[in-house]
């Protein structure tokens, strides 16, 4: 059996390692193998490993934050497989931080009701996971190729049978796995690498796969507001007592939510955005200096170093922070074993909509999702190439054209950041769609730009259709959650 895995983050490498035990595996990555969202993860990975915790409590926390759109079956798969996923990462060589007693140390984060977040190297969890995976990949029998962008999936009689690369090479496979990560790079300010442009979602759509909940993009409340590529200031700082202050030095979250700084991300991001608008400033302040330099340097070495490199010292006083595009909850619809609605095509990790996050992701659940569902994908491939049944619900079917490329990344960033960002309105979203309609030029050297444009368009379409605010989707013209909208958005192309 031949398996093609597209992506070298946690989802892709874990699938490839497991699949190499029973198949010939090729793994592709469009940039350097470690240029992933996985490598950037800071805070950690959540799992109910403590004797005071259990998968049902973890599931309940996840479902509460998901604003009515989590698939309970997927959430239970996530939390029930969580402990096994951590054990596997330990076996693969990830050295999670331990207390002096030798026990794994667990941190508290927003929306989790108990400490359950494992971390490595303090706040360099992703770096440790990525390195361990790359070490194992180097030893495994996998054909690994970096600097290769997949531009199209190959279809034969309604089945996915491989992919075509930017070098026009066709790679045939019995099963193809999308592990292409997120879509933060559709926006001007993002914590993601520029490679995270939602390619896999567009590839799947063009192949006829169903997409779900595309409008739900999470904006991380706290990136360091110093311009350029956003440096993430981990949620874990707020877990350790960091306070958000407005321009006048007043505590920002105390009046907004009972959990204050540990409220769900969308609540915190929206409160920061509103405060910035009120005070006509491009940042608010985050202060954790009261925890002392010794503690902060040991617990947050990455954030401490990264902020210092950008001119700010977390041990000395408040630092300026602002929201940045961070995580895409929506994506390629899958069942709980990572099957898409196209036979032969699987998806895992951030590019998938497994149903585990609903309308709002809980911090530290996405690394877990990548670890758990990649293992489920590998197991499902072994049992055959079957497709997921189409879920119940109204599907918005769109024609294949017009789907041209944005003229440039700047045009795409401006459109998405201005009209489909942290807060949205019908007028703004219509303006975005008019721009997409005007773009006809597909003559671009960058193979990802047409894919990114299609994914961006779907986000804007879905955001316009959802006439309510829910989870990370905030409509200024429909500020409330509406019971009639407690349903998924489903999109599919009409393939002739
Ligand atoms: C700054 C930051 C901090 C985070 N912190 C946390 C955290 O503490 N805890 C947590 O749970 N989550 C965190 N997340 C989210 C988490 O890191 C990601 O959701 C997760 O790592 C996604 O893994 P993945 O394998 O799906 O994708 P990625 O790790 O992003 O890998 C995607 C891969 O796909 C490849 N690719 C994309 N398109 C193509 C194409 N067309 N052709 C070929 N290859 C392609 C890329 O090159 C890359 O190799 C964080 C994210 C960021 C950005």
């Amino acid at each position: 059996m031949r398996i093609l895995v597209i992506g070298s983050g946690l989802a892709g490498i874990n699938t490839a390692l497991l699949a190499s035990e029973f198949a010939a595996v090729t793994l592709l990555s469009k940039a350097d193998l470690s240029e992933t969202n996985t490598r950037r993860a800071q805070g950690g990975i959540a799992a109910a490993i403590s004797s005071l915790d259990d998968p049902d409590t973890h599931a309940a926390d996840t479902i509460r934050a998901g604003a009515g759109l989590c698939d309970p079956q997927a959430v239970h798969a996530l939390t029930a497989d969580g402990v096994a996923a951590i054990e596997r990462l330990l076996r693969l060589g990830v050295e999670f931080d331990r207390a002096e007693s030798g026990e794994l140390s667990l941190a508290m984060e927003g929306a989790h009701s108990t400490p359950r977040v494992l971390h490595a190297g303090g706040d360099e969890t992703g770096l440790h996971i990525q390195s361990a995976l790359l070490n194992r990949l180097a030893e495994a029998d996998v054909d690994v190729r970096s600097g290769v962008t997949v531009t199209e999936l190959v279809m034969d009689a309604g089945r996915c049978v491989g992919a075509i690369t930017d070098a026009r090479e066709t790679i045939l496979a019995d099963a193809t796995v999308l592990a292409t990560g997120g879509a933060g790079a559709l926006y001007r300010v993002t914590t993601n690498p520029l490679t995270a442009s939602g390619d896999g979602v567009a590839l799947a759509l063009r192949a006829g796969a169903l997409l779900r909940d595309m409008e739900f993009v999470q904006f991380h409340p706290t990136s360091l507001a110093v311009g350029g590529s956003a440096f993430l200031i981990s949620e874990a700082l707020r877990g350790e007592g960091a306070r958000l202050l407005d321009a006048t030095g007043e505590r920002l979250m105390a009046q907004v939510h009972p959990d204050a700084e540990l409220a769900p991300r969308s609540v915190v991001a929206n409160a920061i955005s509103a405060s910035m608008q009120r005070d006509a400033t491009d940042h608010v302040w985050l202060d954790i200096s009261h925890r002392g330099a010794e503690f902060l340097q040991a617990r947050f070495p990455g954030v401490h170093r990264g902020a210092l490199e950008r001119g700010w010292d977390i041990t000395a006083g408040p630092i300026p922070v602002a929201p940045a595009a961070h995580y895409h909850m929506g994506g390629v619809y899958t069942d709980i074993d990572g099957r898409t609605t196209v036979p032969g095509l699987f998806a895992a990790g951030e590019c998938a909509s497994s149903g585990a996050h609903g309308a709002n992701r809980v911090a530290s659940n996405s690394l877990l999702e990548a670890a758990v569902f990649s293992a489920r994908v590998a197991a499902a491939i072994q049992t055959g190439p079957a497709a997921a049944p189409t879920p119940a619900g109204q599907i918005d079917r769109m024609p294949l054209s017009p789907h041209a490329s944005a003229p440039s990344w700047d045009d795409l960033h401006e459109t998405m950041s201005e009209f489909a960002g942290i807060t949205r309105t019908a007028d703004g979203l219509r303006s975005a769609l008019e721009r997409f309609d005007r773009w006809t030029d597909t003559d671009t050297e960058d193979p990802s730009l047409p894919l990114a444009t299609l994914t961006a368009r779907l986000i804007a379409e879905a955001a316009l259709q959802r006439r309510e605010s829910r989870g990370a989707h905030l409509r200024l013209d429909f500020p409330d959650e509406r019971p009639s909208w407690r349903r998924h958005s489903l999109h599919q192309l009409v393939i002739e």
Side-chain angles (χ1 to χ4, degrees), residues 185-189 194 405-419 435-436 439 444 446 449 452-453:
L186 303 180
Y187 291 87
R188 197 185 298 123
V189 181
L194 298 180
S405 174
S408 71
W409 285 104
D410 277 350
D411 288 294
L412 189 60
H413 290 160
E414 194 193 311
T415 304
M416 291 304 283
S417 303
E418 196 173 334
F419 299 125
R435 284 201 197 170
F436 284 107
W439 292 335
T444 165
D446 188 328
L449 189 53
T453 307

Side-chain angles (χ1 to χ4, degrees), residues 37-403:
N37 274 354
T38 297
R39 183 179 61 88
R40 295 192 173 205
Q42 295 181 352
I45 177 165
I49 64 158
S50 154
S51 57
L52 304 172
D53 197 4
D54 61 83
D56 286 345
T57 310
H58 186 184
D61 291 346
T62 302
I63 288 171
R64 192 163 359 96
L69 288 190
C70 286
D71 170 354
Q73 231 199 332
V75 175
H76 282 284
L78 176 82
T79 60
D81 288 6
V83 176
I86 298 297
E87 283 166 356
R88 174 167 167 78
L89 289 175
L90 287 165
R91 281 200 304 280
L92 291 176
V94 181
E95 293 193 4
F96 288 112
D97 296 333
R98 291 176 185 271
E100 271 175 22
S101 62
E103 290 201 5
L104 290 162
S105 58
L106 298 173
M108 182 78 182
E109 280 189 6
H112 291 287
S113 60
T114 185
R116 66 164 69 96
V117 179
L118 294 101
H119 42 89
D123 57 358
E124 296 186 321
T125 310
L127 190 63
H128 283 251
I129 292 177
Q130 186 79 49
S131 312
L133 289 168
L134 286 175
N135 289 340
R136 299 292 83 77
L137 188 65
E139 298 157 2
D141 186 12
V142 176
D143 170 23
V144 179
R145 304 190 214 164
S146 58
V148 177
T149 300
V150 169
T151 55
E152 209 177 322
L153 297 175
V154 184
M155 300 297 292
D156 182 22
R159 250 199 83 184
C160 180
V161 294
I164 299 176
T165 72
D166 53 342
R168 304 305 300 161
E169 185 187 358
T170 299
I171 302 173
L172 294 177
D174 301 290
T176 302
V177 182
L178 295 168
T180 50
L186 303 180
Y187 291 87
R188 197 185 298 123
V189 181
T190 178
T191 60
N192 293 191
L194 298 180
T195 43
S197 49
D199 297 14
V201 176
L203 291 168
L205 182 77
R206 282 186 181 167
L210 189 69
L211 306 185
R212 180 166 65 180
D213 296 341
M214 287 293 290
E215 62 273 38
F216 294 106
V217 178
Q218 186 172 76
F219 288 78
H220 196 287
T222 52
S223 71
L224 192 64
V226 289
S229 172
F231 178 69
L232 181 81
I233 305 296
S234 165
E235 188 119 40
L237 270 79
R238 280 177 280 131
E240 297 287 2
R243 293 181 197 126
L244 282 164
L245 310 172
D246 70 11
T248 64
E250 282 298 310
R251 187 129 175 244
L252 190 69
M253 291 304 300
Q255 314 299 329
V256 177
H257 193 278
D259 293 337
E261 277 82 0
L262 295 181
R265 280 194 175 157
S266 59
V267 176
V268 181
N270 194 29
I272 293 176
S273 162
S275 171
M276 282 163 38
Q277 272 175 21
R278 236 179 358 255
D279 296 330
T281 164
D282 63 358
H283 63 269
V284 296
W285 298 96
L286 185 79
D287 190 6
I288 194 166
S289 55
H290 56 279
R291 293 300 309 264
E294 199 184 331
F295 169 79
L296 292 174
Q297 281 165 17
R299 175 70 181 89
F300 300 113
V303 168
H304 179 243
R305 199 174 50 245
L308 268 186
E309 283 165 12
R310 293 161 178 85
W312 291 92
D313 184 354
I314 60 169
T315 69
I319 57 166
V321 293
H326 186 55
Y327 185 84
H328 194 197
M329 271 77 67
V332 186
Y333 167 77
T334 67
D335 69 7
I336 61 165
D337 293 312
R339 297 184 185 90
T340 73
T341 52
V342 170
L345 183 64
F346 297 77
E350 192 168 337
C351 68
S353 167
S354 68
H357 305 302
N360 210 9
R361 172 188 74 118
V362 171
S364 295
N365 266 356
S366 42
L367 285 173
L368 186 67
E369 182 198 34
V372 163
F373 287 95
S374 53
R376 295 181 80 95
V377 162
I381 290 173
Q382 234 177 335
T383 61
T390 302
Q394 186 193 323
I395 299 176
D396 200 315
R397 292 183 198 275
M398 315 160 55
L400 188 55
S401 59
H403 291 118

